[in-house]
Amino acid sequence: MTLHPKVIDLTLERVEVLLGRLGNPEKKLPPVIHVAGTNAKGSVIAYLRAMLEAVGYRVHAYTSPHLVQFNERIRLAGKLISDQDLSDALEECEAANAGDPITYFEITTVAAYLAFSRVEADVLLLETGLGGRLDATNVIDKPALSIITPISMDHQQFLGDSLSEIIGEKLGIVKAGVPCLSSKQERREEKKFIKKVEEAGAPLSIEGRDWFVTKTKSGMIFESNLDGEKRTRDFPLPALTGPHQFRNAGLAIAALAKLEGFNVPDSAIALGLKSAEWPARMQHLKQGPLVDMLPEGWELWLDGGHNAAAGKMIAAQARSWRDKPLHMIFGMLNSKEPHDFLKSLEGKLGQFRGVAIPGEENSLSAEEVTGAAEAWRMEAQPAENVVMALNDIIENEEPARVLIAGSLYLAGTILKDHS
């Protein structure tokens, strides 16, 4: 896809024209669950996919970005799209586009619609790429559900400089008459958030009002009033790590309660909770050259979060990891703000090593991210690469955890080269 720039230019016109030339494959899809938000979109989709597949439903899924290979973005009835099917869809889109201007995300999203329309499935889990209102995924006239995950400051250059503006863009996926389920949003914006959903004509169910999740020693309790009847249900611990994953799992469970025409029993929800997988989201790495470097008792973790909300989530996890020190190897794109990510981690890290993201021209330098960490009084030094950073950290004889964090692009290189 070298013909198309990665430059983001939010509009629906190019996508709609190309879809029309291809016979409107977006109108030939199974019921769609459309997911927007800043963080947790992929985790919620991972839970939904695992729960639905536990019943035997055939699930399409569209997510982004990919970590190692592009095929990860498109799942056809549960399986990653094959190289041949992907190539065929892209070539057909290229021919139909006839050289007209179009972005990378737009033409690949259209190719995904084309592939989805040709493989039978029961449901499509559709993640927005950026924003919502003008996102290339926002061409579905009437999805089965709209889901909004926590919204925070990110991509301000495209979505607006205030949280209120960003919320407005994300809520662009909400459709009249389509049930909308939302995570609890920031308190200062919640009233305006609810008003905007109501103005769109969508029935809203929101965390903290219509359902609650409580962590227990052995699992989680889900309390709800989603169908006119108060219910309390016990479920096992979510497979994905981090305190925030209880909320993400709760949002997925709530969504299934509002998904008409599907029967997902609690046994399938429990199985999905225990089996969900979503790489590079507080992922414990257990094999590969980097793990082989670790002395006995050490652990290596990987997370691709890159904004202030992700920093807060990691800080919350750090507070629960009191048995061992936590060190960090950190790299970030120059389109992100390392200070926003790192401020929540002040006082919670041991050693910090800044690295540049390998092969990424838009990476901040090791010295730049190290400088950001020093501003938050961290014991920070730059390193030439991840291997040298890890080798430097483990000279400390005390067993500890090391978290590689700051970018999905960095996470992708780790998974490709070191796992």
Side-chain angles (χ1 to χ4, degrees):
M1 296 307 300
T2 55
L3 294 175
H4 306 290
K6 288 187 177 181
V7 174
I8 296 169
D9 179 17
L10 297 179
T11 177
L12 289 178
E13 184 179 354
R14 292 184 296 266
V15 172
E16 290 170 342
V17 168
L18 181 53
L19 287 167
R21 292 176 185 173
L22 291 164
N24 293 110
E26 81 283 6
K27 299 184 184 298
K28 304 167 186 174
L29 302 174
V32 173
I33 299 177
H34 201 184
V35 184
T38 304
N39 293 87
K41 298 187 296 293
S43 295
V44 171
I45 285 177
Y47 286 122
L48 284 170
R49 184 167 69 84
M51 293 169 185
L52 288 161
E53 289 180 345
V55 185
Y57 289 117
R58 296 160 298 180
V59 183
H60 289 333
Y62 184 61
T63 57
S64 61
H66 61 277
L67 293 172
V68 179
Q69 57 173 340
F70 184 90
N71 309 55
E72 297 167 30
R73 297 180 180 224
I74 302 172
R75 283 186 176 270
L76 300 176
K79 296 181 179 179
L80 293 183
I81 190 171
S82 68
D83 290 343
Q84 187 62 56
D85 286 344
L86 177 59
S87 177
D88 289 347
L90 289 170
E91 287 179 7
E92 192 167 342
C93 290
E94 290 281 3
N97 195 54
D100 288 345
I102 197 163
T103 69
Y104 173 89
F105 185 73
E106 288 169 347
I107 199 164
T108 52
T109 300
V110 173
Y113 284 136
L114 198 60
F116 291 139
S117 71
R118 292 172 175 171
V119 176
E120 194 171 348
D122 299 299
V123 63
L124 165 59
L125 307 177
L126 182 65
E127 178 189 351
T128 57
L130 188 146
R133 182 174 64 92
L134 296 176
D135 188 81
T137 63
N138 198 26
V139 293
I140 306 300
D141 291 334
K142 192 159 187 177
L145 295 177
S146 301
I147 294 178
I148 309 295
T149 65
I151 300 173
S152 59
M153 298 297 289
D154 201 9
H155 299 296
Q156 290 96 311
Q157 66 270 46
F158 303 110
L159 303 180
D161 294 325
S162 70
L163 185 57
S164 181
E165 288 178 290
I166 294 172
I167 286 173
E169 290 296 318
K170 302 284 186 181
L171 288 180
I173 72 162
V174 175
K175 306 292 192 299
V178 175
C180 175
L181 294 104
S182 175
S183 297
K184 188 174 181 63
Q185 301 297 334
E186 288 202 23
R187 184 176 300 174
R188 70 181 189 273
E189 295 290 339
E190 192 164 66
K191 287 184 179 179
K192 286 188 282 186
F193 177 95
I194 292 172
K195 183 179 178 181
K196 287 178 181 178
V197 176
E198 290 175 346
E199 288 173 347
L204 173 65
S205 302
I206 190 166
E207 177 192 10
R209 185 187 74 184
D210 301 298
W211 78 87
F212 304 84
V213 176
T214 306
K215 177 183 177 183
T216 66
K217 288 185 178 181
S218 58
M220 56 183 274
I221 296 173
F222 182 81
E223 300 175 83
S224 67
N225 187 21
L226 291 163
D227 49 12
E229 180 183 351
K230 290 186 178 180
R231 300 177 65 194
T232 300
R233 297 140 78 190
D234 293 320
F235 291 110
L237 292 169
L240 305 182
T241 300
H244 57 290
Q245 290 298 348
F246 289 87
R247 297 182 60 199
N248 297 341
L251 179 54
I253 296 168
L256 292 177
K258 288 291 185 179
L259 185 60
E260 292 187 3
F262 291 76
N263 180 24
V264 185
D266 284 359
S267 58
I269 291 174
L271 182 57
L273 284 171
K274 292 188 291 185
S275 62
E277 295 180 349
W278 194 231
R281 280 74 175 183
M282 290 307 293
Q283 179 182 0
H284 187 186
L285 299 179
K286 297 183 179 181
Q287 61 182 16
L290 290 176
V291 175
D292 292 343
M293 291 173 58
L294 297 176
E296 186 176 351
W298 286 67
E299 297 176 8
L300 186 63
W301 291 74
L302 180 67
D303 190 85
H306 49 260
N307 54 28
K312 289 179 181 178
M313 291 174 188
I314 291 173
Q317 180 62 36
R319 285 193 292 271
S320 71
W321 275 340
R322 296 178 180 175
D323 57 323
K324 297 178 182 179
L326 177 63
H327 309 300
M328 180 172 283
I329 299 172
F330 182 81
M332 182 170 272
L333 293 179
N334 59 19
S335 59
K336 305 299 178 183
E337 179 45 69
H339 289 279
D340 289 347
F341 179 96
L342 293 170
K343 63 184 178 183
S344 298
L345 293 163
E346 182 181 9
K348 296 179 176 62
L349 299 177
Q351 299 184 64
F352 180 101
R353 296 294 178 269
V355 297
I357 301 170
E360 180 53 62
E361 62 180 18
N362 295 318
S363 172
L364 290 168
S365 70
E367 289 73 21
E368 286 172 320
V369 294
T370 298
E374 288 174 336
W376 295 105
R377 294 184 287 277
M378 296 181 184
E379 185 185 335
Q381 294 179 24
E384 188 172 329
N385 54 50
V386 170
V387 171
M388 294 182 71
L390 183 60
N391 193 58
D392 192 21
I393 288 172
I394 61 178
E395 287 184 3
N396 184 336
E397 294 182 3
E398 183 181 6
R401 291 181 179 89
V402 180
L403 174 62
I404 302 171
S407 171
L408 285 169
Y409 291 87
L410 177 59
T413 66
I414 298 302
L415 292 175
K416 180 180 178 182
D417 299 334
H418 296 287
S419 66

